[in-house]
Amino acid sequence: MFQSRVSLAARAAQRSIAPQSRGLATASPVSSAARNHKIVVVGGGSAGISISHQLLHSGKFAQDDIAVIDPAQWHHYQPGWTLVGGGLKNKEDLRQPMNSLVDPKFKFYNQSVGSFAPADNAITLENGDKLSYEQLVVVPGISINYGEIKGLPEALADRNSTVSSIYSYDTCDKVFRTVETLQEGKAIFTQPAGVIKCAGAPQKAMWLALDHWKRAGLYNPAKPAESPIKISYATGLPVMFGVPKYNAILEQMRKDRGVEGLFQHDLVAVDGKSAVFATPNGEVVKPFDLLHVSPKMGAHAFVKNSPLANEMGMVDVHENTTQHKKFANVWSVGDASSLPTSKTAAAVTSEAPVLVRNLLQSMEGKELDASYDGYTSCPLLTEYGKVLLAEFKYGGEPKETFGNWFGIDQGKPRRAFYHLKKDFFPWVYQNYMVKGHWGGPNGWK
């Protein structure tokens, strides 16, 4: 969620679109003594804000013992951007001023990180200030790299183009405008190869658009060839979804609804009304009248180029304890971590309590006794009024909350799950999770 480094041309075009483009508020000057902290939390997103508050609730820390570093002015509920793209929410209702979420007992550095020196238990901020710590939590999310797709920043910034993305605060509302405007032609929805936050989100945008066009009489799933609008789903992956149970359901849904599947098609360029894809058989060019893009993503440079990173640029932690494999006083979960699970806010709800428990145990010289099993969730909107609630753990094994409680098969889209996604989850997030009082399937903390 920190600003990524892109080419000068792409950066200029990105300024009005990138969700991670954060104006840096000025942090108040601090004395050198105040720059020593028991815990430094890098990142004020879903993971950082939850973890810092859960640590504070332990009652073990005094004023300024915990420092939070993030350059953002706003904290966004990003899972809600899909709802904005479907015309179901206003984006303004899904963000809060960052400084309003940071407890006064924290020391808040409204800055970017320059570099890590874990051997010295130190961090250098981008402004040159140095901080020291006893324990370090690295949870800055991942970088959304629009510039890695040629022509994409310019197309997104052009208000008159039919190219949009739910992955940006500035463009998530453009999605529904383009969907409403399209009366006929070819609509393509993309998903990149490689790491991505919320792997189900690209499909959610497509399914809601399809349902909108169906209700408007512009798309007939039974006769897609005769419909004014044609729909394609182009994914860099060989399947619709990485978990076998849900993949089978979504693949059948794709066929039943007449959506063309373009598998192992990775978007590399946008050229006017043409989308260029890399495939195993070479580049393929597809014309479009509407293009929804899920951009490329990856580790932030300040993490990737640090001693904390693995070969993929992610913070290299043990998959069950969340503790760094080399530096015992460094921890990570969420999008920036190497944890082999989907990168979602739902995953953070289960990861955060494990990290907090083990960090506190470590500080007291005790054995790490909390274990993360890879739980994550994807409330996958399949139409207006219905959600397929995918829940699973490591190995792609379903771990369904309502299946365990009530024997419900969550592979079937349901209206009750839709209200969880649309109403309950945003409410819980803004009122409890960001304050450190929500543990996902384990309920209130």
PDB file of all heavy atoms in Angstrom, residues 257-293:
ATOM      1  N   ARG A 257     -23.386 -19.469 -18.408  1.00  0.00           N
ATOM      2  CA  ARG A 257     -23.731 -18.078 -18.691  1.00  0.00           C
ATOM      3  C   ARG A 257     -23.132 -17.567 -19.999  1.00  0.00           C
ATOM      4  O   ARG A 257     -23.246 -16.381 -20.310  1.00  0.00           O
ATOM      5  CB  ARG A 257     -23.289 -17.189 -17.519  1.00  0.00           C
ATOM      6  CG  ARG A 257     -24.030 -17.535 -16.222  1.00  0.00           C
ATOM      7  CD  ARG A 257     -23.646 -16.623 -15.074  1.00  0.00           C
ATOM      8  NE  ARG A 257     -24.384 -16.964 -13.861  1.00  0.00           N
ATOM      9  CZ  ARG A 257     -24.287 -16.330 -12.699  1.00  0.00           C
ATOM     10  NH1 ARG A 257     -23.445 -15.298 -12.599  1.00  0.00           N
ATOM     11  NH2 ARG A 257     -24.996 -16.697 -11.646  1.00  0.00           N
ATOM     12  N   GLY A 258     -22.507 -18.455 -20.732  1.00  0.00           N
ATOM     13  CA  GLY A 258     -22.038 -18.104 -22.076  1.00  0.00           C
ATOM     14  C   GLY A 258     -20.847 -17.183 -22.122  1.00  0.00           C
ATOM     15  O   GLY A 258     -20.636 -16.466 -23.111  1.00  0.00           O
ATOM     16  N   VAL A 259     -20.021 -17.186 -21.066  1.00  0.00           N
ATOM     17  CA  VAL A 259     -18.838 -16.327 -21.035  1.00  0.00           C
ATOM     18  C   VAL A 259     -17.664 -17.047 -21.688  1.00  0.00           C
ATOM     19  O   VAL A 259     -17.350 -18.196 -21.352  1.00  0.00           O
ATOM     20  CB  VAL A 259     -18.477 -15.952 -19.586  1.00  0.00           C
ATOM     21  CG1 VAL A 259     -17.157 -15.187 -19.544  1.00  0.00           C
ATOM     22  CG2 VAL A 259     -19.601 -15.121 -18.964  1.00  0.00           C
ATOM     23  N   GLU A 260     -17.010 -16.368 -22.617  1.00  0.00           N
ATOM     24  CA  GLU A 260     -15.836 -16.945 -23.261  1.00  0.00           C
ATOM     25  C   GLU A 260     -14.677 -16.973 -22.262  1.00  0.00           C
ATOM     26  O   GLU A 260     -14.366 -15.971 -21.627  1.00  0.00           O
ATOM     27  CB  GLU A 260     -15.436 -16.117 -24.483  1.00  0.00           C
ATOM     28  CG  GLU A 260     -14.182 -16.636 -25.178  1.00  0.00           C
ATOM     29  CD  GLU A 260     -13.697 -15.729 -26.294  1.00  0.00           C
ATOM     30  OE1 GLU A 260     -13.958 -14.500 -26.210  1.00  0.00           O
ATOM     31  OE2 GLU A 260     -13.076 -16.236 -27.247  1.00  0.00           O
ATOM     32  N   GLY A 261     -14.036 -18.129 -22.134  1.00  0.00           N
ATOM     33  CA  GLY A 261     -12.888 -18.248 -21.249  1.00  0.00           C
ATOM     34  C   GLY A 261     -11.587 -18.174 -22.028  1.00  0.00           C
ATOM     35  O   GLY A 261     -11.340 -18.998 -22.912  1.00  0.00           O
ATOM     36  N   LEU A 262     -10.779 -17.174 -21.739  1.00  0.00           N
ATOM     37  CA  LEU A 262      -9.469 -17.027 -22.371  1.00  0.00           C
ATOM     38  C   LEU A 262      -8.421 -17.319 -21.300  1.00  0.00           C
ATOM     39  O   LEU A 262      -7.983 -16.426 -20.572  1.00  0.00           O
ATOM     40  CB  LEU A 262      -9.292 -15.609 -22.930  1.00  0.00           C
ATOM     41  CG  LEU A 262     -10.301 -15.167 -23.998  1.00  0.00           C
ATOM     42  CD1 LEU A 262     -10.138 -13.691 -24.315  1.00  0.00           C
ATOM     43  CD2 LEU A 262     -10.161 -16.021 -25.247  1.00  0.00           C
ATOM     44  N   PHE A 263      -8.028 -18.576 -21.193  1.00  0.00           N
ATOM     45  CA  PHE A 263      -7.111 -18.984 -20.145  1.00  0.00           C
ATOM     46  C   PHE A 263      -5.661 -18.827 -20.590  1.00  0.00           C
ATOM     47  O   PHE A 263      -5.340 -18.888 -21.769  1.00  0.00           O
ATOM     48  CB  PHE A 263      -7.401 -20.426 -19.736  1.00  0.00           C
ATOM     49  CG  PHE A 263      -8.767 -20.606 -19.141  1.00  0.00           C
ATOM     50  CD1 PHE A 263      -9.814 -21.126 -19.899  1.00  0.00           C
ATOM     51  CD2 PHE A 263      -9.024 -20.211 -17.837  1.00  0.00           C
ATOM     52  CE1 PHE A 263     -11.086 -21.274 -19.357  1.00  0.00           C
ATOM     53  CE2 PHE A 263     -10.291 -20.343 -17.285  1.00  0.00           C
ATOM     54  CZ  PHE A 263     -11.328 -20.873 -18.039  1.00  0.00           C
ATOM     55  N   GLN A 264      -4.793 -18.581 -19.585  1.00  0.00           N
ATOM     56  CA  GLN A 264      -3.379 -18.300 -19.834  1.00  0.00           C
ATOM     57  C   GLN A 264      -3.214 -17.140 -20.819  1.00  0.00           C
ATOM     58  O   GLN A 264      -2.340 -17.138 -21.673  1.00  0.00           O
ATOM     59  CB  GLN A 264      -2.656 -19.554 -20.321  1.00  0.00           C
ATOM     60  CG  GLN A 264      -2.578 -20.638 -19.244  1.00  0.00           C
ATOM     61  CD  GLN A 264      -1.811 -21.858 -19.684  1.00  0.00           C
ATOM     62  OE1 GLN A 264      -2.292 -22.645 -20.503  1.00  0.00           O
ATOM     63  NE2 GLN A 264      -0.607 -22.021 -19.146  1.00  0.00           N
ATOM     64  N   HIS A 265      -4.084 -16.153 -20.666  1.00  0.00           N
ATOM     65  CA  HIS A 265      -4.024 -14.887 -21.402  1.00  0.00           C
ATOM     66  C   HIS A 265      -3.697 -13.784 -20.398  1.00  0.00           C
ATOM     67  O   HIS A 265      -4.545 -13.403 -19.584  1.00  0.00           O
ATOM     68  CB  HIS A 265      -5.353 -14.591 -22.087  1.00  0.00           C
ATOM     69  CG  HIS A 265      -5.551 -15.307 -23.389  1.00  0.00           C
ATOM     70  ND1 HIS A 265      -5.507 -16.673 -23.496  1.00  0.00           N
ATOM     71  CD2 HIS A 265      -5.783 -14.829 -24.650  1.00  0.00           C
ATOM     72  CE1 HIS A 265      -5.723 -17.022 -24.757  1.00  0.00           C
ATOM     73  NE2 HIS A 265      -5.886 -15.921 -25.474  1.00  0.00           N
ATOM     74  N   ASP A 266      -2.476 -13.302 -20.420  1.00  0.00           N
ATOM     75  CA  ASP A 266      -1.991 -12.319 -19.462  1.00  0.00           C
ATOM     76  C   ASP A 266      -1.870 -10.955 -20.148  1.00  0.00           C
ATOM     77  O   ASP A 266      -1.050 -10.781 -21.061  1.00  0.00           O
ATOM     78  CB  ASP A 266      -0.632 -12.771 -18.923  1.00  0.00           C
ATOM     79  CG  ASP A 266      -0.189 -11.998 -17.697  1.00  0.00           C
ATOM     80  OD1 ASP A 266      -1.055 -11.386 -17.033  1.00  0.00           O
ATOM     81  OD2 ASP A 266       1.018 -12.019 -17.383  1.00  0.00           O
ATOM     82  N   LEU A 267      -2.685  -9.991 -19.723  1.00  0.00           N
ATOM     83  CA  LEU A 267      -2.699  -8.669 -20.357  1.00  0.00           C
ATOM     84  C   LEU A 267      -1.353  -7.979 -20.207  1.00  0.00           C
ATOM     85  O   LEU A 267      -0.834  -7.843 -19.092  1.00  0.00           O
ATOM     86  CB  LEU A 267      -3.802  -7.810 -19.744  1.00  0.00           C
ATOM     87  CG  LEU A 267      -3.998  -6.418 -20.358  1.00  0.00           C
ATOM     88  CD1 LEU A 267      -4.531  -6.525 -21.781  1.00  0.00           C
ATOM     89  CD2 LEU A 267      -4.957  -5.590 -19.498  1.00  0.00           C
ATOM     90  N   VAL A 268      -0.786  -7.530 -21.321  1.00  0.00           N
ATOM     91  CA  VAL A 268       0.516  -6.849 -21.282  1.00  0.00           C
ATOM     92  C   VAL A 268       0.449  -5.431 -21.847  1.00  0.00           C
ATOM     93  O   VAL A 268       1.355  -4.633 -21.622  1.00  0.00           O
ATOM     94  CB  VAL A 268       1.595  -7.649 -22.034  1.00  0.00           C
ATOM     95  CG1 VAL A 268       1.868  -8.968 -21.331  1.00  0.00           C
ATOM     96  CG2 VAL A 268       1.207  -7.891 -23.500  1.00  0.00           C
ATOM     97  N   ALA A 269      -0.624  -5.103 -22.593  1.00  0.00           N
ATOM     98  CA  ALA A 269      -0.717  -3.754 -23.169  1.00  0.00           C
ATOM     99  C   ALA A 269      -2.158  -3.408 -23.508  1.00  0.00           C
ATOM    100  O   ALA A 269      -2.973  -4.284 -23.829  1.00  0.00           O
ATOM    101  CB  ALA A 269       0.152  -3.647 -24.428  1.00  0.00           C
ATOM    102  N   VAL A 270      -2.446  -2.115 -23.416  1.00  0.00           N
ATOM    103  CA  VAL A 270      -3.727  -1.560 -23.876  1.00  0.00           C
ATOM    104  C   VAL A 270      -3.395  -0.543 -24.945  1.00  0.00           C
ATOM    105  O   VAL A 270      -2.674   0.426 -24.704  1.00  0.00           O
ATOM    106  CB  VAL A 270      -4.501  -0.898 -22.727  1.00  0.00           C
ATOM    107  CG1 VAL A 270      -5.807  -0.303 -23.240  1.00  0.00           C
ATOM    108  CG2 VAL A 270      -4.760  -1.896 -21.605  1.00  0.00           C
ATOM    109  N   ASP A 271      -3.909  -0.777 -26.151  1.00  0.00           N
ATOM    110  CA  ASP A 271      -3.609   0.085 -27.285  1.00  0.00           C
ATOM    111  C   ASP A 271      -4.912   0.525 -27.929  1.00  0.00           C
ATOM    112  O   ASP A 271      -5.488  -0.197 -28.748  1.00  0.00           O
ATOM    113  CB  ASP A 271      -2.752  -0.687 -28.300  1.00  0.00           C
ATOM    114  CG  ASP A 271      -2.309   0.181 -29.479  1.00  0.00           C
ATOM    115  OD1 ASP A 271      -2.590   1.398 -29.451  1.00  0.00           O
ATOM    116  OD2 ASP A 271      -1.699  -0.361 -30.424  1.00  0.00           O
ATOM    117  N   GLY A 272      -5.390   1.709 -27.517  1.00  0.00           N
ATOM    118  CA  GLY A 272      -6.662   2.184 -28.032  1.00  0.00           C
ATOM    119  C   GLY A 272      -7.782   1.266 -27.595  1.00  0.00           C
ATOM    120  O   GLY A 272      -8.040   1.083 -26.409  1.00  0.00           O
ATOM    121  N   LYS A 273      -8.453   0.643 -28.563  1.00  0.00           N
ATOM    122  CA  LYS A 273      -9.535  -0.297 -28.289  1.00  0.00           C
ATOM    123  C   LYS A 273      -9.094  -1.738 -28.456  1.00  0.00           C
ATOM    124  O   LYS A 273      -9.906  -2.628 -28.704  1.00  0.00           O
ATOM    125  CB  LYS A 273     -10.710   0.000 -29.228  1.00  0.00           C
ATOM    126  CG  LYS A 273     -11.465   1.276 -28.910  1.00  0.00           C
ATOM    127  CD  LYS A 273     -12.422   1.080 -27.727  1.00  0.00           C
ATOM    128  CE  LYS A 273     -13.375   2.259 -27.586  1.00  0.00           C
ATOM    129  NZ  LYS A 273     -14.380   2.023 -26.539  1.00  0.00           N
ATOM    130  N   SER A 274      -7.799  -1.976 -28.293  1.00  0.00           N
ATOM    131  CA  SER A 274      -7.261  -3.325 -28.408  1.00  0.00           C
ATOM    132  C   SER A 274      -6.517  -3.702 -27.131  1.00  0.00           C
ATOM    133  O   SER A 274      -5.789  -2.883 -26.571  1.00  0.00           O
ATOM    134  CB  SER A 274      -6.312  -3.442 -29.607  1.00  0.00           C
ATOM    135  OG  SER A 274      -7.008  -3.250 -30.821  1.00  0.00           O
ATOM    136  N   ALA A 275      -6.713  -4.953 -26.707  1.00  0.00           N
ATOM    137  CA  ALA A 275      -6.000  -5.496 -25.553  1.00  0.00           C
ATOM    138  C   ALA A 275      -5.005  -6.530 -26.054  1.00  0.00           C
ATOM    139  O   ALA A 275      -5.358  -7.404 -26.851  1.00  0.00           O
ATOM    140  CB  ALA A 275      -6.981  -6.130 -24.576  1.00  0.00           C
ATOM    141  N   VAL A 276      -3.769  -6.404 -25.602  1.00  0.00           N
ATOM    142  CA  VAL A 276      -2.707  -7.311 -26.049  1.00  0.00           C
ATOM    143  C   VAL A 276      -2.378  -8.281 -24.917  1.00  0.00           C
ATOM    144  O   VAL A 276      -2.077  -7.849 -23.795  1.00  0.00           O
ATOM    145  CB  VAL A 276      -1.449  -6.532 -26.467  1.00  0.00           C
ATOM    146  CG1 VAL A 276      -0.383  -7.491 -26.996  1.00  0.00           C
ATOM    147  CG2 VAL A 276      -1.796  -5.473 -27.517  1.00  0.00           C
ATOM    148  N   PHE A 277      -2.421  -9.569 -25.208  1.00  0.00           N
ATOM    149  CA  PHE A 277      -2.197 -10.596 -24.201  1.00  0.00           C
ATOM    150  C   PHE A 277      -0.975 -11.443 -24.548  1.00  0.00           C
ATOM    151  O   PHE A 277      -0.745 -11.770 -25.713  1.00  0.00           O
ATOM    152  CB  PHE A 277      -3.409 -11.527 -24.090  1.00  0.00           C
ATOM    153  CG  PHE A 277      -4.662 -10.850 -23.635  1.00  0.00           C
ATOM    154  CD1 PHE A 277      -5.567 -10.341 -24.565  1.00  0.00           C
ATOM    155  CD2 PHE A 277      -4.952 -10.719 -22.287  1.00  0.00           C
ATOM    156  CE1 PHE A 277      -6.738  -9.724 -24.159  1.00  0.00           C
ATOM    157  CE2 PHE A 277      -6.118 -10.089 -21.868  1.00  0.00           C
ATOM    158  CZ  PHE A 277      -7.016  -9.594 -22.806  1.00  0.00           C
ATOM    159  N   ALA A 278      -0.214 -11.799 -23.525  1.00  0.00           N
ATOM    160  CA  ALA A 278       0.836 -12.800 -23.684  1.00  0.00           C
ATOM    161  C   ALA A 278       0.212 -14.160 -23.411  1.00  0.00           C
ATOM    162  O   ALA A 278      -0.490 -14.349 -22.410  1.00  0.00           O
ATOM    163  CB  ALA A 278       1.971 -12.534 -22.704  1.00  0.00           C
ATOM    164  N   THR A 279       0.439 -15.118 -24.313  1.00  0.00           N
ATOM    165  CA  THR A 279      -0.082 -16.475 -24.151  1.00  0.00           C
ATOM    166  C   THR A 279       1.053 -17.462 -24.413  1.00  0.00           C
ATOM    167  O   THR A 279       2.108 -17.074 -24.933  1.00  0.00           O
ATOM    168  CB  THR A 279      -1.231 -16.758 -25.137  1.00  0.00           C
ATOM    169  OG1 THR A 279      -0.694 -17.007 -26.443  1.00  0.00           O
ATOM    170  CG2 THR A 279      -2.214 -15.589 -25.207  1.00  0.00           C
ATOM    171  N   PRO A 280       0.863 -18.735 -24.098  1.00  0.00           N
ATOM    172  CA  PRO A 280       1.899 -19.730 -24.389  1.00  0.00           C
ATOM    173  C   PRO A 280       2.244 -19.811 -25.870  1.00  0.00           C
ATOM    174  O   PRO A 280       3.330 -20.281 -26.240  1.00  0.00           O
ATOM    175  CB  PRO A 280       1.281 -21.034 -23.879  1.00  0.00           C
ATOM    176  CG  PRO A 280       0.326 -20.605 -22.815  1.00  0.00           C
ATOM    177  CD  PRO A 280      -0.240 -19.313 -23.311  1.00  0.00           C
ATOM    178  N   ASN A 281       1.338 -19.346 -26.725  1.00  0.00           N
ATOM    179  CA  ASN A 281       1.555 -19.401 -28.171  1.00  0.00           C
ATOM    180  C   ASN A 281       1.924 -18.052 -28.779  1.00  0.00           C
ATOM    181  O   ASN A 281       1.842 -17.865 -29.999  1.00  0.00           O
ATOM    182  CB  ASN A 281       0.302 -19.945 -28.866  1.00  0.00           C
ATOM    183  CG  ASN A 281      -0.035 -21.347 -28.404  1.00  0.00           C
ATOM    184  OD1 ASN A 281       0.846 -22.202 -28.284  1.00  0.00           O
ATOM    185  ND2 ASN A 281      -1.311 -21.590 -28.117  1.00  0.00           N
ATOM    186  N   GLY A 282       2.325 -17.100 -27.925  1.00  0.00           N
ATOM    187  CA  GLY A 282       2.696 -15.787 -28.431  1.00  0.00           C
ATOM    188  C   GLY A 282       1.641 -14.744 -28.120  1.00  0.00           C
ATOM    189  O   GLY A 282       0.625 -15.022 -27.478  1.00  0.00           O
ATOM    190  N   GLU A 283       1.886 -13.532 -28.583  1.00  0.00           N
ATOM    191  CA  GLU A 283       0.950 -12.439 -28.306  1.00  0.00           C
ATOM    192  C   GLU A 283      -0.344 -12.588 -29.089  1.00  0.00           C
ATOM    193  O   GLU A 283      -0.350 -13.002 -30.255  1.00  0.00           O
ATOM    194  CB  GLU A 283       1.596 -11.092 -28.635  1.00  0.00           C
ATOM    195  CG  GLU A 283       2.589 -10.618 -27.588  1.00  0.00           C
ATOM    196  CD  GLU A 283       2.948  -9.156 -27.728  1.00  0.00           C
ATOM    197  OE1 GLU A 283       2.576  -8.530 -28.743  1.00  0.00           O
ATOM    198  OE2 GLU A 283       3.615  -8.620 -26.825  1.00  0.00           O
ATOM    199  N   VAL A 284      -1.432 -12.222 -28.413  1.00  0.00           N
ATOM    200  CA  VAL A 284      -2.768 -12.257 -29.019  1.00  0.00           C
ATOM    201  C   VAL A 284      -3.402 -10.890 -28.801  1.00  0.00           C
ATOM    202  O   VAL A 284      -3.341 -10.345 -27.695  1.00  0.00           O
ATOM    203  CB  VAL A 284      -3.639 -13.351 -28.378  1.00  0.00           C
ATOM    204  CG1 VAL A 284      -5.074 -13.252 -28.873  1.00  0.00           C
ATOM    205  CG2 VAL A 284      -3.076 -14.734 -28.677  1.00  0.00           C
ATOM    206  N   VAL A 285      -4.019 -10.340 -29.843  1.00  0.00           N
ATOM    207  CA  VAL A 285      -4.676  -9.039 -29.759  1.00  0.00           C
ATOM    208  C   VAL A 285      -6.185  -9.235 -29.821  1.00  0.00           C
ATOM    209  O   VAL A 285      -6.692  -9.909 -30.728  1.00  0.00           O
ATOM    210  CB  VAL A 285      -4.223  -8.098 -30.892  1.00  0.00           C
ATOM    211  CG1 VAL A 285      -4.950  -6.754 -30.784  1.00  0.00           C
ATOM    212  CG2 VAL A 285      -2.714  -7.899 -30.841  1.00  0.00           C
ATOM    213  N   LYS A 286      -6.890  -8.662 -28.847  1.00  0.00           N
ATOM    214  CA  LYS A 286      -8.346  -8.778 -28.787  1.00  0.00           C
ATOM    215  C   LYS A 286      -8.965  -7.375 -28.778  1.00  0.00           C
ATOM    216  O   LYS A 286      -8.647  -6.555 -27.914  1.00  0.00           O
ATOM    217  CB  LYS A 286      -8.774  -9.515 -27.515  1.00  0.00           C
ATOM    218  CG  LYS A 286      -8.311 -10.974 -27.442  1.00  0.00           C
ATOM    219  CD  LYS A 286      -9.179 -11.859 -28.312  1.00  0.00           C
ATOM    220  CE  LYS A 286      -8.800 -13.325 -28.159  1.00  0.00           C
ATOM    221  NZ  LYS A 286      -9.648 -14.198 -28.989  1.00  0.00           N
ATOM    222  N   PRO A 287      -9.856  -7.084 -29.717  1.00  0.00           N
ATOM    223  CA  PRO A 287     -10.559  -5.793 -29.685  1.00  0.00           C
ATOM    224  C   PRO A 287     -11.586  -5.777 -28.555  1.00  0.00           C
ATOM    225  O   PRO A 287     -12.108  -6.824 -28.159  1.00  0.00           O
ATOM    226  CB  PRO A 287     -11.241  -5.735 -31.051  1.00  0.00           C
ATOM    227  CG  PRO A 287     -11.442  -7.164 -31.433  1.00  0.00           C
ATOM    228  CD  PRO A 287     -10.267  -7.915 -30.874  1.00  0.00           C
ATOM    229  N   PHE A 288     -11.862  -4.599 -28.032  1.00  0.00           N
ATOM    230  CA  PHE A 288     -12.856  -4.497 -26.969  1.00  0.00           C
ATOM    231  C   PHE A 288     -13.619  -3.192 -27.086  1.00  0.00           C
ATOM    232  O   PHE A 288     -13.148  -2.213 -27.682  1.00  0.00           O
ATOM    233  CB  PHE A 288     -12.187  -4.582 -25.587  1.00  0.00           C
ATOM    234  CG  PHE A 288     -11.292  -3.409 -25.263  1.00  0.00           C
ATOM    235  CD1 PHE A 288     -11.807  -2.224 -24.739  1.00  0.00           C
ATOM    236  CD2 PHE A 288      -9.920  -3.483 -25.473  1.00  0.00           C
ATOM    237  CE1 PHE A 288     -10.983  -1.149 -24.439  1.00  0.00           C
ATOM    238  CE2 PHE A 288      -9.087  -2.409 -25.172  1.00  0.00           C
ATOM    239  CZ  PHE A 288      -9.626  -1.246 -24.651  1.00  0.00           C
ATOM    240  N   ASP A 289     -14.811  -3.193 -26.477  1.00  0.00           N
ATOM    241  CA  ASP A 289     -15.591  -1.977 -26.315  1.00  0.00           C
ATOM    242  C   ASP A 289     -15.646  -1.569 -24.843  1.00  0.00           C
ATOM    243  O   ASP A 289     -15.933  -0.415 -24.525  1.00  0.00           O
ATOM    244  CB  ASP A 289     -17.001  -2.180 -26.862  1.00  0.00           C
ATOM    245  CG  ASP A 289     -16.985  -2.446 -28.365  1.00  0.00           C
ATOM    246  OD1 ASP A 289     -16.816  -1.487 -29.138  1.00  0.00           O
ATOM    247  OD2 ASP A 289     -17.124  -3.625 -28.756  1.00  0.00           O
ATOM    248  N   LEU A 290     -15.390  -2.532 -23.972  1.00  0.00           N
ATOM    249  CA  LEU A 290     -15.237  -2.284 -22.538  1.00  0.00           C
ATOM    250  C   LEU A 290     -14.142  -3.212 -22.033  1.00  0.00           C
ATOM    251  O   LEU A 290     -14.120  -4.398 -22.373  1.00  0.00           O
ATOM    252  CB  LEU A 290     -16.546  -2.543 -21.789  1.00  0.00           C
ATOM    253  CG  LEU A 290     -16.522  -2.368 -20.255  1.00  0.00           C
ATOM    254  CD1 LEU A 290     -17.887  -1.887 -19.749  1.00  0.00           C
ATOM    255  CD2 LEU A 290     -16.143  -3.656 -19.519  1.00  0.00           C
ATOM    256  N   LEU A 291     -13.236  -2.650 -21.227  1.00  0.00           N
ATOM    257  CA  LEU A 291     -12.146  -3.448 -20.675  1.00  0.00           C
ATOM    258  C   LEU A 291     -12.025  -3.167 -19.180  1.00  0.00           C
ATOM    259  O   LEU A 291     -11.772  -2.038 -18.773  1.00  0.00           O
ATOM    260  CB  LEU A 291     -10.823  -3.110 -21.367  1.00  0.00           C
ATOM    261  CG  LEU A 291      -9.584  -3.879 -20.892  1.00  0.00           C
ATOM    262  CD1 LEU A 291      -9.695  -5.365 -21.243  1.00  0.00           C
ATOM    263  CD2 LEU A 291      -8.319  -3.281 -21.509  1.00  0.00           C
ATOM    264  N   HIS A 292     -12.232  -4.219 -18.392  1.00  0.00           N
ATOM    265  CA  HIS A 292     -11.980  -4.099 -16.960  1.00  0.00           C
ATOM    266  C   HIS A 292     -10.668  -4.806 -16.651  1.00  0.00           C
ATOM    267  O   HIS A 292     -10.507  -5.992 -16.934  1.00  0.00           O
ATOM    268  CB  HIS A 292     -13.097  -4.711 -16.122  1.00  0.00           C
ATOM    269  CG  HIS A 292     -12.802  -4.618 -14.642  1.00  0.00           C
ATOM    270  ND1 HIS A 292     -12.117  -5.601 -13.960  1.00  0.00           N
ATOM    271  CD2 HIS A 292     -13.049  -3.627 -13.749  1.00  0.00           C
ATOM    272  CE1 HIS A 292     -11.964  -5.230 -12.707  1.00  0.00           C
ATOM    273  NE2 HIS A 292     -12.534  -4.043 -12.545  1.00  0.00           N
ATOM    274  N   VAL A 293      -9.734  -4.071 -16.034  1.00  0.00           N
ATOM    275  CA  VAL A 293      -8.382  -4.584 -15.839  1.00  0.00           C
ATOM    276  C   VAL A 293      -8.075  -4.780 -14.355  1.00  0.00           C
ATOM    277  O   VAL A 293      -8.298  -3.880 -13.537  1.00  0.00           O
ATOM    278  CB  VAL A 293      -7.341  -3.622 -16.440  1.00  0.00           C
ATOM    279  CG1 VAL A 293      -5.925  -4.166 -16.216  1.00  0.00           C
ATOM    280  CG2 VAL A 293      -7.597  -3.424 -17.927  1.00  0.00           C
TER     281      VAL A 293
END
